[in-house]
Amino acid sequence: MMYACQLVAGASDGVNQAVVHHYLGMGDKFWDFQTSWKNKYQDYDNGDYRPAFFGSKSFAVGLTDGYHLTRMVDRSFTTASLAFCICGKNDWNSIIRKLLVSAAVNRAGFALTYNVIFKRTPE
């Protein structure tokens, strides 16, 4: 389960970076990182900076746009993987193996989304 969490965390990181560097979702209200951050406000463009909903400017910002959602998923699943790591056998060899495999799985998830699924196409 720990490795599955790391795969999801890495994949989410890959989507996050594709949003920013491959311009994934440009023009979409939820995914366009250049404007979607305004979703946390009632009506940012007209000067209404009140939260769009309870928590939209703080603990629930991950629900307002794709950039923040992918960051929230990445951190949540990384934290969950730590919880799974604590359970079970924890001698030094086991810890080092878990660390190395987790890092490899995380980066594989990243590479899958960033370099394969949402690969930047030449313009």
Side-chain angles (χ1 to χ4, degrees):
M1 189 57 90
M2 178 179 77
Y3 301 130
C5 287
Q6 281 296 320
L7 182 67
V8 171
S12 182
D13 185 30
V15 173
N16 177 274
Q17 292 302 289
V19 165
V20 175
H21 299 291
H22 295 175
Y23 305 107
L24 175 66
M26 292 302 284
D28 183 88
K29 181 174 173 45
F30 186 79
W31 289 103
D32 188 338
F33 76 97
Q34 294 178 331
T35 58
S36 63
W37 58 270
K38 297 177 184 179
N39 295 343
K40 66 182 104 175
Y41 303 101
Q42 287 281 335
D43 189 0
Y44 183 88
D45 291 332
N46 290 314
D48 188 350
Y49 306 129
R50 292 177 297 152
F53 54 87
F54 178 70
S56 69
K57 291 171 54 178
S58 58
F59 68 89
V61 71
L63 304 175
T64 63
D65 62 272
Y67 176 80
H68 287 100
L69 174 65
T70 55
R71 289 174 51 91
M72 179 183 75
V73 170
D74 178 11
R75 283 157 179 78
S76 297
F77 278 83
T78 297
T79 302
S81 77
L82 292 172
F84 286 113
C85 181
I86 291 169
C87 301
K89 188 170 123 179
N90 284 317
D91 59 72
W92 282 109
N93 287 335
S94 175
I95 291 169
I96 292 169
R97 182 184 53 79
K98 287 179 181 180
L99 177 66
L100 294 174
V101 173
S102 290
V105 170
N106 181 288
R107 294 298 81 195
F110 176 90
L112 177 65
T113 54
Y114 187 75
N115 296 325
V116 177
I117 296 172
F118 300 114
K119 182 177 181 179
R120 186 170 187 177
T121 55
E123 302 189 25

